[in-house]
Amino acid sequence: MKTCLVVDDSRVIRKVSRHILEALDFTVDEAENGQDALDKCDASMPDVILLDWNMPVMSGIEFIVKLRERPDGASPKVVFCTTENDVAHIREAIDAGADEYVMKPFDHETLQIKLQLVGCA
């Protein structure tokens, strides 16, 4: 079974994401900010990371830069999940190491398509 780490400061978004991912047969863990997510990656690197942009403590961009610097940090697929929708933000996320980008709010079908695009669904 594939694993996914949902990184978002919103408990509601984490809960909705978990519900969708579990229906897609993922084992799901959650983190409420980038630092918490790095700690969870230290414990066990997930197959996929669903990553929010704007969070306290450590933003999604700060997290992905630190993740990709690690020896095993290239392995997880990272899908940015955010309300930021301009081309500059999308480019920044991809340049920082994101594999895909999904806009909030998203549904089961949209997330499934994005996971298929990165080879994880």
Side-chain angles (χ1 to χ4, degrees), residues 10-61:
S10 166
R11 189 177 60 79
V12 171
I13 295 294
R14 291 195 311 269
K15 184 176 181 178
V16 169
S17 300
R18 173 184 285 276
H19 179 74
I20 292 170
L21 289 159
E22 287 177 343
L24 295 170
D25 291 326
F26 279 85
T27 298
V28 181
D29 197 3
E30 300 177 17
E32 61 185 35
N33 61 62
Q35 185 58 58
D36 187 23
L38 282 177
D39 294 343
K40 300 228 174 179
C41 288
D42 283 340
S44 178
M45 191 64 75
D47 297 308
V48 182
I49 299 171
L50 192 61
L51 181 64
D52 185 26
W53 188 291
N54 297 306
M55 296 177 289
V57 183
M58 182 187 293
S59 72
I61 287 290

Side-chain angles (χ1 to χ4, degrees), residues 17-114:
S17 300
R18 173 184 285 276
H19 179 74
I20 292 170
L21 289 159
E22 287 177 343
L24 295 170
D25 291 326
F26 279 85
T27 298
V28 181
D29 197 3
E30 300 177 17
E32 61 185 35
N33 61 62
Q35 185 58 58
D36 187 23
L38 282 177
D39 294 343
K40 300 228 174 179
C41 288
D42 283 340
S44 178
M45 191 64 75
D47 297 308
V48 182
I49 299 171
L50 192 61
L51 181 64
D52 185 26
W53 188 291
N54 297 306
M55 296 177 289
V57 183
M58 182 187 293
S59 72
I61 287 290
E62 291 170 314
F63 166 81
I64 196 168
V65 168
K66 289 182 183 296
L67 174 74
R68 295 304 194 205
E69 289 172 349
R70 295 168 174 234
D72 58 348
S75 62
K77 299 295 184 183
V78 177
V79 178
F80 252 102
C81 171
T82 184
T83 57
E84 305 290 351
N85 65 352
D86 61 85
V87 174
H89 276 97
I90 295 169
R91 173 61 34 215
E92 184 179 358
I94 299 300
D95 288 348
D99 296 288
E100 195 48 74
Y101 200 92
V102 65
M103 295 300 304
K104 288 179 185 174
F106 55 87
D107 59 13
H108 183 280
E109 182 180 357
T110 303
L111 187 55
Q112 184 174 18
I113 289 167
K114 294 295 183 174

